[in-house]
C-alpha cells in the first residue's frame, strides 16, 4: 500500500494500521477504546448530529416527492398547520438508529476498497491514484476519479441491504398522515393506509411486516441499490476531487484547511443528488405506493425519467439538506476527532 502523506481523507489511516488494543486486567479502559476507534466514534457522533439538524429538510423533500405541493414553502406551511413541529421530525428514530451503523460500515468499506482498487491500478495500469493525490500540487485525473468512484460505489452497494428497511420505515412515517388523508384510494388500500397513521418508528416497521411480510422491509431494494451505488460513487469521487483541488489551490494540507473539507463535503452532496434525483423520486413513489398494497399484490413500478419536471420535485430542498448535512457532518467529525486525539488514554 502507498505510504501515507499529509493529504488524508476523512477515513484516516487508523482503519488500516491499527492493531487490537492490549487488555489490562481483563478489560480495556473506555478512553483507550475511544482513541483506538477514533474514526468510527467521531463519524458516529457527527452523523447523529447532522441527521437531527437537517431532518426537517429531509421530511419536506420526501413529502414533495410523493405528493403535489405548490413549492417548498407551501409544503412547510401545510405540514406545520396539520401536524405541527412534530410533523417535521416524524420518522426521525429510524435514521438515528441506522446512521451510526451505516456510516461506520460505509466509511470502512470505502477505505478498504480505495486501497484495493489503487493497488490493482498500480499493478495492472502502472498508475497509483493514492500516490498521485499525495503529491503536492497534483490535480484530479481520470484515474483518481475512477478509483474513488469505484470505491464509493462498492460502499454504497454494501450498505443498501442494511439501510433499506430503515429508510422505508422513515418514509412511511413521514407520509403516514398524507396517506391517511388520501381520498382517491380504493377502500382496501385506504384501510391499509390508515393503519400507518400516527404510528411510531417501531410500530410502523411492525405494520409493514404485518401487511407485506418480512420481505416487505426490502420493498424497493433494487431501486435503493441503484441509487446508493451510483450516488455514493459520485459522492466520494466528487468529495476527494473537490478536496484535492481546493487543497492544491490553497497550498495547505486538508487538516489545516477546514474550509476545503467543508466546501468539498457540501459540494459532493449537491452534485450526487442532482445527478441521481429521479432515481430517488421513483424509489420514494414506489415505496409509498407499495405501503398501500398487501403481501402478494403486484405494485406497479414507475418509470425513471430524467429531465422530466415532476421527477425533480423537492430537488432544491434535497440539495440544501445535503449541503447542510455534510457541512455539519465534516465540521463535527474534525472537531470530535481532534478532541479524541487530545484525550489521555489513562486517568
Amino acid at each position: 500500500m502507498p505510504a501515507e502523506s499529509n493529504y488524508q481523507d476523512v477515513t484516516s489511516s487508523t482503519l488500516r494500521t491499527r492493531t487490537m488494543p492490549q487488555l489490562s486486567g481483563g478489560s480495556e479502559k473506555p478512553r483507550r477504546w475511544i482513541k483506538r476507534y477514533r474514526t468510527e466514534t467521531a463519524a458516529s457522533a457527527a452523523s447523529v448530529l447532522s441527521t437531527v439538524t437537517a431532518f426537517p429538510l429531509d421530511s419536506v423533500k420526501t413529502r414533495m416527492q410523493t405528493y403535489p405541493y405548490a413549492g417548498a414553502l407551501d409544503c412547510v406551511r401545510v405540514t406545520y398547520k396539520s401536524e405541527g413541529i412534530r410533523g417535521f421530525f416524524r420518522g426521525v428514530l429510524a435514521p438515528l438508529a441506522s446512521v451510526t451503523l451505516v456510516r461506520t460500515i460505509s466509511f470502512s468499506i470505502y477505505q478498504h476498497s480505495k486501497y484495493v482498487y489503487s493497488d490493482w491500478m498500480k499493478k495492472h495500469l502502472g498508475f497509483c491514484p493514492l500516490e498521485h493525490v499525495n503529491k503536492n500540487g497534483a490535480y484530479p485525473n481520470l484515474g483518481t476519479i475512477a478509483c474513488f468512484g469505484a470505491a464509493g460505489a462498492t460502499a454504497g452497494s454494501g450498505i443498501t441491504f442494511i439501510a433499506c428497511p430503515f429508510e422505508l420505515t422513515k418514509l412511511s412515517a413521514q407520509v403516514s398522515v398524507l396517506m391517511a388523508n388520501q381520498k382517491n384510494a380504493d377502500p382496501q388500500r385506504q384501510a391499509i393506509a390508515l393503519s400507518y397513521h400516527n404510528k411510531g418508528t417501531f410500530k410502523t416497521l411492525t405494520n409493514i411486516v404485518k401487511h407485506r411480510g418480512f420481505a416487505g422491509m426490502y420493498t424497493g431494494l433494487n431501486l435503493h441499490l441503484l441509487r446508493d451505488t451510483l450516488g455514493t460513487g459520485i459522492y466520494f469521487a466528487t468529495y476527494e476531487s473537490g478536496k484535492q483541488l481546493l487543497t492544491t489551490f490553497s497550498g495547505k494540507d486538508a487538516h489545516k484547511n477546514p474550509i476545503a473539507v467543508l466546501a468539498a463535503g457540501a459540494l459532493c452532496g449537491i452534485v450526487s443528488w442532482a445527478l441521481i434525483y429521479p432515481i430517488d423520486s421513483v424509489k420514494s413513489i414506489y415505496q409509498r405506493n407499495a405501503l398501500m398494497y398487501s403481501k402478494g399484490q403486484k405494485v406497479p413500478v414507475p418509470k425513471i425519467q430524467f429531465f422530466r419536471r415532476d421527477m425533480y420535485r423537492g430537488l432544491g430542498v434535497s440539495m440544501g439538506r445535503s449541503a447542510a448535512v455534510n457541512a455539519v457532518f465534516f465540521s463535527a467529525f474534525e472537531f470530535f476527532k481532534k478532541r479524541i486525539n487530545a484525550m489521555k488514554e489513562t486517568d
Side-chain angles (χ1 to χ4, degrees), residues 72-88:
L73 292 179
D74 180 55
C75 180
V76 171
R77 181 185 61 80
V78 172
T79 301
Y80 181 76
K81 182 178 180 181
S82 60
E83 304 176 49
I85 292 295
R86 183 181 178 184
F88 295 101

Side-chain angles (χ1 to χ4, degrees), residues 52-72:
V52 173
T53 302
F55 192 79
L57 290 174
D58 181 75
S59 182
V60 171
K61 182 268 294 184
T62 301
R63 291 164 184 266
M64 291 183 68
Q65 284 180 321
T66 52
Y67 290 91
Y69 288 94

Side-chain angles (χ1 to χ4, degrees), residues 104-172:
T104 302
I105 293 177
S106 176
F107 273 34
S108 298
I109 295 176
Y110 172 72
Q111 180 74 5
H112 177 73
S113 300
K114 181 175 64 175
Y115 283 94
V116 170
Y117 294 140
S118 182
D119 288 346
W120 184 92
M121 293 177 70
K122 182 178 182 179
K123 180 179 179 181
H124 296 279
L125 303 178
F127 172 75
C128 181
L130 293 181
E131 289 180 354
H132 177 77
V133 300
N134 285 333
K135 295 177 182 177
N136 291 331
Y139 291 94
N141 59 27
L142 185 59
T144 59
I145 294 172
C147 177
F148 299 138
T154 302
S157 61
I159 63 173
T160 297
F161 300 92
I162 300 172
C164 187
F166 290 101
E167 189 157 330
L168 176 63
T169 302
K170 179 199 72 172
L171 180 142
S172 62

Side-chain angles (χ1 to χ4, degrees), residues 192 208-216 290 293-298:
I192 296 175
I208 292 173
V209 174
K210 175 183 176 181
H211 291 294
R212 297 191 57 78
F214 285 100
Y293 285 77
S294 297
K295 183 180 179 181
Q297 292 181 317
K298 186 176 181 179

Side-chain angles (χ1 to χ4, degrees), residues 15-32:
L15 285 175
R16 297 181 297 104
T17 59
R18 65 167 178 251
T19 56
M20 291 301 293
Q22 299 295 319
L23 298 181
S24 177
S27 64
E28 59 181 322
K29 298 194 175 196
R31 288 189 179 185
R32 181 175 298 175

